[in-house]
Amino acid sequence: MNIQQNISLKKYNTFGISVNAKRFISVNSVYQLQQLLKIEKDIFLISGGSNMLLTKDIEKLVIHIDIKGISIDRENENDVYLTVNAGENWHEFVLWCVSNNYGGIENLSLIPGNVGTCPIQNIGAYGVEVKDTITKVEAIDIENQKLVSFSNIECNFGYRNSIFKNEVKGKYIITSVSFRLTKKNIN
Ligand SMILES: Cc1cc2nc3c(=O)[nH]c(=O)nc-3n(C[C@H](O)[C@H](O)[C@H](O)COP(=O)(O)OP(=O)(O)OC[C@H]3O[C@@H](n4cnc5c(N)ncnc54)[C@H](O)[C@@H]3O)c2cc1C
C-alpha cells in the first residue's frame, strides 16, 4: 500500500485549500480498498472534494476514491443499464451519456463531484433527481470490508437526502452506482 506522508490536499478540494493530510492514499480498485480497510478504520474520504470546507490539517488517513470505469450491463430497445465506478467525474459521465444518446441525467450536467457521491444527497437540478435513474448502489462496509448492494428502495431517497446521510452515515464507502437510462427520445 502506497500511503504517502504530509500530502497537500490543495488539488483534491475544489476550494483549493492547502491543508495537509498527515497520511494519504489514492485507491483505484475495490480490492485495494478492502485490503486497506482491514488495517485502517480511522479514515477521511475524499471524492471530488466539492462538498467540504477544509480548515486544518487532517490527522486521519485520507482516502481519495479514484476507482474508475463505466460498463454497460445490458440494454434493450428502450433502456440501457450501466454501472459506473465511484471515482468517475459526474459531469464527464453526463457528457458521455449525452454523446451516446442515453437520456435521463442531462439536466444534472455541471453538478460538481463524482459519481460515487451522487446518491448521498440524491443530487438534483431543474426538476430532475438522480434517484429516478439509480437502480443500485454498491458499497463496502467499513467494519467488515464486505461489498453490499443497496436497491433503489433501500437507499431511502428523499429531497437531497438518502440513507447514506442518515442511518448508515459513516458506515459504508460507495464504490459504484448503477443506472437505468433511456434510449428513446421522450420529449
Ligand atoms: C458550485 C456548486 C454547485 C452545486 N450544485 C448542485 C446542484 O445543482 N444540485 C445538487 O444536488 N448538488 C449541487 N452541489 C452539491 C455537490 O455537487 C454534491 O454534494 C456532490 O455530490 C459532492 O460530490 P464530491 O464527489 O465532490 O463529494 P466530496 O466533497 O468529495 O465528499 C462529500 C462527502 O461524502 C464523503 N464521501 C466521499 N466519497 C465517498 C464515498 N465514495 N462513499 C461514501 N462517502 C463518501 C466525504 O467524506 C464527504 O463527507 C453543488 C456544489 C457546488 C460546490
Side-chain angles (χ1 to χ4, degrees), residues 45 47-51 111-114 117 120-121 123-124 160 173-174:
L45 298 172
S47 283
S50 71
N51 210 25
I111 295 180
N114 285 2
T117 37
I120 297 177
Q121 70 158 41
I123 60 170
R160 303 292 183 271
I173 302 178
I174 295 170

Side-chain angles (χ1 to χ4, degrees), residues 44-118:
F44 181 96
L45 298 172
I46 288 192
S47 283
S50 71
N51 210 25
M52 53 180 64
L53 180 56
L54 303 174
T55 56
K56 58 180 181 192
D57 291 350
I58 300 177
E59 300 293 318
K60 297 177 177 192
L61 173 66
V62 174
I63 303 179
H64 175 229
I65 305 298
D66 197 30
I67 308 171
K68 304 276 198 198
I70 301 175
S71 57
I72 295 177
D73 300 325
R74 62 196 162 94
E75 59 186 306
N76 56 38
E77 199 187 330
N78 298 318
D79 302 306
V80 59
Y81 294 79
L82 303 163
T83 295
V84 186
N85 285 332
E88 290 288 341
N89 174 271
W90 174 260
H91 177 64
E92 284 169 20
F93 169 55
V94 175
L95 293 182
W96 182 87
C97 291
V98 169
S99 70
N100 283 285
N101 284 322
Y102 300 151
I105 54 172
E106 53 284 351
N107 285 21
L108 309 182
S109 64
L110 290 171
I111 295 180
N114 285 2
V115 170
T117 37
C118 80

